[in-house]
Amino acid sequence: VFYQSRHTISFGSPDIVPIFCSSLPHSTWGSYPHEYEDFATDASFLDHWSFDQFEGLLNRSLDDVKLRQLLLQDKLVIFLHLLGCDSNGHAHRPYSSIYLNNVKVVDEIAERMYNLMESYFNDNGTAYVFTADHGMSDKGSHGDGHPSNTDTPLVAWGAGIRSPKFLAYTDKPDDGFRFVDDHRHDMPTPQNWALEGFERVDVNQADIAPLMATLVGLPCPLNSVGNLPSHYLKLSKSDEVEAVLANTKQILNQFLRKSEQKQSSSLYFKPFKPLVNYSSVLDRIEDLISARDYKTAMKYSEELRSMALAGLHYFQTYDWFMLMTTITLGYIGWMANLIIHVLQSYTTFPASLLKRTQVYPMNTSMKVYIGGCLFMGLSSIILLLEKSPPLYHAYVFMTIFLWTRIVQNYEFMKSAWRELFNMPFKYIMNLLISSVAALLILEFLVMSFFDRKLYTWCFLALGILASVCGAFSIEASPAVAIYTWLACWFLSVFTLMPAEIPENNNLVIFSGALIILIAMASRWATINTTTFWLYLNRANKQAPKSSKLFFVQVQQAICCIDIYFVKVKDSVDSCHCALGYFDLSVFNNGVFDYISSVPAQRTAPVAPVDQLVRSWFCDGATALFTL
């Protein structure tokens, strides 16, 4: 929009304004120094600076004839970038007095800007568009896709803008439309906005560019994918249809260009079939406009525009199937190579198995490598002919390399498969159970990204499991079992808390003091009351009924969780930090002494299969709880 304007005037942030105007010859712009962006102070003065610069420009034009002639041109765009709310929101949070005062400053600037423009030009020919690039959470952050971050204001008024439409009711039926973040179109306006009874038209952010261009009288930007929000415009029926048709042709031309580029580089081109006969649809729309059937012409124009956007998406994801197949095969090949490496390096298969798999090692390996190289070369030629990006080559080459190594070890895998089925049923079941447990743990990790409360159930189950394991499997002191149970259940409360908790300096100070007191008490107890720690660390001298490795790793996991919760200070309440340190301090002084006395379970480089299965399961459980 700025590039196509007759002249653009802009003032604001040095991070934003130069992006648009530094290489634009027909522009007048200015930005404050970077040193002004001080997050330790009130940033509202930055907004005053931007407005004052523009006001000063208008005042200078009263004595500068050339400047006044420039300002009186048509297709003039004025852009003020007000950074204060963003800076104050990050630094002081959106509910702070500094931020709320900055909101008032922006309101005042909007009013002063309107009065200044109307008094200077005095022609009722100025359109105003007020919007923002993003929202903000209560913690002063944005970027996680929550509606509080993606919903932004769009307020338009002035020349060419339709007046507000009054509604007899406020609840709108669901029209099925969904935005990128899946919230529905025209959701009810919050009551505290004091806008009940007014129609609110929600749009995508990309729609603002064609709106601005149409208001100024410019063509829609060449690469814009926005739909012109015609409901904002005060146009006649014929002009409205013509504006939407121009927007449709602009998007359609992008589609045609994408189609032409892909067809010129594809060995086997698959067109977007719904738009094969687009020209006949355009002719039909022109005939309807000539016949003054504007309602039908508008319907066809909007349908063609939607189809053109779908066509753009089709060509932007044209190579999706090939890429997803290649990457998926690459991940599977990587996992298969790891399994082969473990089987060859860390298991006690009979020596005869290795002999059987190396009957013709040299000839087989050479043929496989030659075949892999030829396949890489053929793939490279095809990708070069299709003018694919270099990253495509990397994906394909890595996948071919991994599967070449798998084919090279085909005889070994076949022998290992036979050996597995010759094992006793108990070993096969152990392996199967371990594999299922690993898959469940991985799925649990994925689900926990979306619902952190799953860790509450995890800690509740872990408290019972670890305490029972400690009481019966290694016959430890009841105090250790009870402590483990209570510690896990105490930590289970943490993930029920909200992820964002307001800062409280008093809690931080109290937490630090509590940590110091607990540390001093622990050291005193270690030095003076050794009887208690001996009782806490007491274990039966008989041989354990099962491996101590699992209990040791679970206890280590609890410590890792404590340390992790303490470190993530941005999302952890200070009371939880204190709780974590208390848990860790008691554990450090009592249980670590016992753990250090457990003999090493895996000292040999090669372990029996059943022990490896058990160890892999324990390592997987430890990895889950540590993460």
Side-chain angles (χ1 to χ4, degrees):
V1 174
F2 294 168
Y3 180 80
Q4 296 180 113
S5 67
R6 190 88 65 192
H7 198 85
T8 292
I9 298 173
S10 179
F11 297 100
S13 167
D15 302 316
I16 301 299
V17 173
I19 295 176
F20 299 109
C21 300
S22 60
S23 59
L24 196 65
H26 53 280
S27 65
T28 301
W29 61 279
S31 60
Y32 40 78
H34 283 282
E35 293 76 18
Y36 283 19
E37 297 178 336
D38 184 1
F39 285 87
T41 60
D42 183 356
S44 60
F45 77 95
L46 301 177
D47 299 342
H48 285 296
W49 185 95
S50 300
F51 175 79
D52 292 343
Q53 294 297 310
F54 178 68
E55 186 179 34
L57 181 73
L58 295 187
N59 291 334
R60 291 197 304 272
S61 70
L62 300 177
D63 301 323
D64 189 333
V65 177
K66 289 185 177 181
L67 180 57
R68 182 166 179 80
Q69 290 177 347
L70 184 147
L71 291 171
L72 293 177
Q73 296 180 104
D74 62 347
K75 299 183 174 70
L76 178 70
V77 176
I78 300 167
F79 172 53
L80 290 189
H81 180 254
L82 309 180
L83 184 66
C85 282
D86 183 75
S87 297
N88 283 329
H90 287 309
H92 307 288
R93 307 295 182 264
Y95 287 104
S96 63
S97 59
I98 293 178
Y99 180 89
L100 297 176
N101 177 70
N102 205 150
V103 173
K104 294 181 181 179
V105 169
V106 172
D107 284 344
E108 293 169 359
I109 289 177
E111 182 182 14
R112 292 172 63 190
M113 186 71 180
Y114 172 77
N115 294 330
L116 181 65
M117 295 291 293
E118 294 302 311
S119 62
Y120 185 88
F121 293 100
N122 197 26
D123 58 359
N124 295 321
T126 302
Y128 304 86
V129 177
F130 179 92
T131 188
D133 54 346
H134 60 77
M136 188 172 285
S137 70
D138 293 348
K139 291 284 287 183
S141 61
H142 55 81
D144 61 5
H146 191 273
S148 64
N149 300 339
T150 59
D151 286 350
T152 56
L154 174 59
V155 184
W157 72 97
I161 303 294
R162 193 187 69 180
S163 300
K165 182 179 178 181
F166 295 93
L167 300 174
Y169 58 91
T170 56
D171 292 333
K172 293 188 176 183
D174 189 354
D175 59 4
F177 179 85
R178 293 293 182 273
F179 288 94
V180 176
D181 59 357
D182 291 331
H183 76 276
R184 69 182 179 86
H185 197 282
D186 293 341
M187 297 175 69
T189 302
Q191 293 184 355
N192 58 358
W193 287 19
L195 291 175
E196 291 188 22
F198 289 95
E199 180 187 38
R200 196 182 90 239
V201 182
D202 294 348
V203 301
N204 281 312
Q205 259 186 340
D207 302 342
I208 300 176
L211 173 64
M212 291 173 59
T214 303
L215 288 171
V216 182
L218 300 170
C220 291
L222 180 68
N223 294 311
S224 170
V225 292
N227 294 320
L228 174 65
S230 57
H231 296 294
Y232 279 75
L233 301 173
K234 184 169 61 179
L235 298 172
S236 64
K237 289 293 183 182
S238 59
D239 290 340
E240 185 178 0
V241 173
E242 291 286 357
V244 172
L245 180 59
N247 180 216
T248 300
K249 290 180 177 179
Q250 168 256 324
I251 295 176
L252 183 62
N253 277 308
Q254 287 188 72
F255 161 78
L256 295 175
R257 179 59 178 159
K258 286 278 188 182
S259 177
E260 178 186 338
Q261 288 177 336
K262 183 54 68 175
Q263 186 175 8
S264 64
S265 61
S266 295
L267 298 178
Y268 176 69
F269 177 70
K270 294 176 290 183
F272 185 66
K273 295 181 180 179
L275 282 178
V276 172
N277 298 319
Y278 71 91
S279 57
S280 62
V281 180
L282 285 175
D283 294 337
R284 175 66 174 159
I285 294 173
E286 297 287 357
D287 293 339
L288 289 170
I289 294 175
S290 300
R292 297 187 177 182
D293 188 356
Y294 300 125
K295 184 176 180 180
T296 308
M298 177 69 76
K299 176 184 175 183
Y300 284 160
S301 296
E302 291 177 344
E303 289 178 352
L304 182 59
R305 180 175 61 185
S306 299
M307 199 61 65
L309 287 171
L312 275 176
H313 179 74
Y314 171 78
F315 285 113
Q316 287 166 352
T317 58
Y318 188 84
D319 299 322
W320 178 88
F321 181 76
M322 183 274 290
L323 286 175
M324 289 299 294
T325 303
T326 302
I327 293 171
T328 302
L329 288 174
Y331 273 113
I332 294 173
W334 173 249
M335 289 185 283
N337 272 279
L338 289 178
I339 293 173
I340 292 172
H341 175 70
V342 170
L343 291 175
Q344 289 178 338
S345 303
Y346 301 106
T347 57
T348 55
F349 281 112
S352 58
L353 171 63
L354 297 177
K355 291 180 180 179
R356 288 198 302 270
T357 58
Q358 296 178 1
V359 177
Y360 306 105
M362 189 61 68
N363 293 337
T364 304
S365 298
M366 186 60 65
K367 290 178 182 178
V368 171
Y369 276 124
I370 291 174
C373 291
L374 290 176
F375 193 33
M376 278 189 185
L378 178 62
S379 303
S380 179
I381 292 172
I382 294 174
L383 292 174
L384 287 172
L385 290 175
E386 293 199 340
K387 301 177 182 178
S388 300
L391 202 57
Y392 286 23
H393 294 259
Y395 290 148
V396 172
F397 287 178
M398 179 56 70
T399 301
I400 294 175
F401 169 75
L402 291 171
W403 281 93
T404 300
R405 290 185 56 84
I406 293 172
V407 174
Q408 180 190 2
N409 290 282
Y410 171 73
E411 291 295 332
F412 174 81
M413 290 189 297
K414 188 166 66 173
S415 301
W417 186 262
R418 284 198 302 264
E419 190 73 19
L420 178 65
F421 276 93
N422 291 332
M423 285 182 171
F425 180 74
K426 182 180 70 174
Y427 294 110
I428 297 177
M429 287 304 299
N430 282 341
L431 181 60
L432 183 62
I433 292 172
S434 300
S435 301
V436 171
L439 288 174
L440 291 176
I441 289 172
L442 288 173
E443 188 63 26
F444 180 88
L445 284 173
V446 173
M447 294 172 63
S448 67
F449 279 105
F450 303 98
D451 187 4
R452 63 199 299 264
K453 293 179 181 178
L454 290 173
Y455 284 112
T456 297
W457 296 103
C458 174
F459 279 119
L460 292 174
L462 179 62
I464 299 174
L465 178 64
S467 58
V468 170
C469 220
F472 297 100
S473 297
I474 68 171
E475 300 182 2
S477 165
V480 175
I482 294 173
Y483 162 75
T484 306
W485 191 336
L486 293 178
C488 290
W489 281 32
F490 212 23
L491 284 173
S492 68
V493 180
F494 175 81
T495 47
L496 294 175
M497 302 290 290
E500 294 184 351
I501 302 175
E503 293 180 352
N504 190 321
N505 291 335
N506 292 329
L507 283 179
V508 175
I509 296 172
F510 173 76
S511 175
L514 187 61
I515 292 166
I516 295 173
L517 290 175
I518 292 173
M520 294 172 61
S522 298
R523 293 305 303 169
W524 179 86
T526 303
I527 296 171
N528 298 291
T529 57
T530 55
T531 306
F532 170 73
W533 298 114
L534 288 174
Y535 169 74
L536 188 65
N537 297 335
R538 179 178 59 82
N540 197 312
K541 296 183 179 180
Q542 297 178 1
K545 296 180 181 179
S546 63
S547 174
K548 299 178 183 178
L549 180 62
F550 178 73
F551 180 75
V552 171
Q553 289 177 316
V554 168
Q555 296 284 19
Q556 289 174 330
I558 295 174
C559 291
C560 293
I561 293 167
D562 290 345
I563 295 169
Y564 175 75
F565 284 167
V566 170
K567 286 185 176 179
V568 187
K569 64 180 180 65
D570 290 338
S571 61
V572 179
D573 188 89
S574 301
C575 287
H576 293 87
C577 293
L579 167 64
Y581 272 121
F582 173 76
D583 190 12
L584 183 61
S585 62
V586 175
F587 191 84
N588 265 328
N589 289 280
V591 184
F592 273 168
D593 295 332
Y594 168 72
I595 291 177
S596 62
S597 67
V598 176
Q601 294 288 324
R602 290 182 293 176
T603 56
V606 178
V609 175
D610 61 333
Q611 185 175 332
L612 277 171
V613 168
R614 188 164 61 249
S615 300
W616 292 341
F617 175 76
C618 295
D619 288 337
T622 303
L624 164 67
F625 299 131
T626 305
L627 286 174

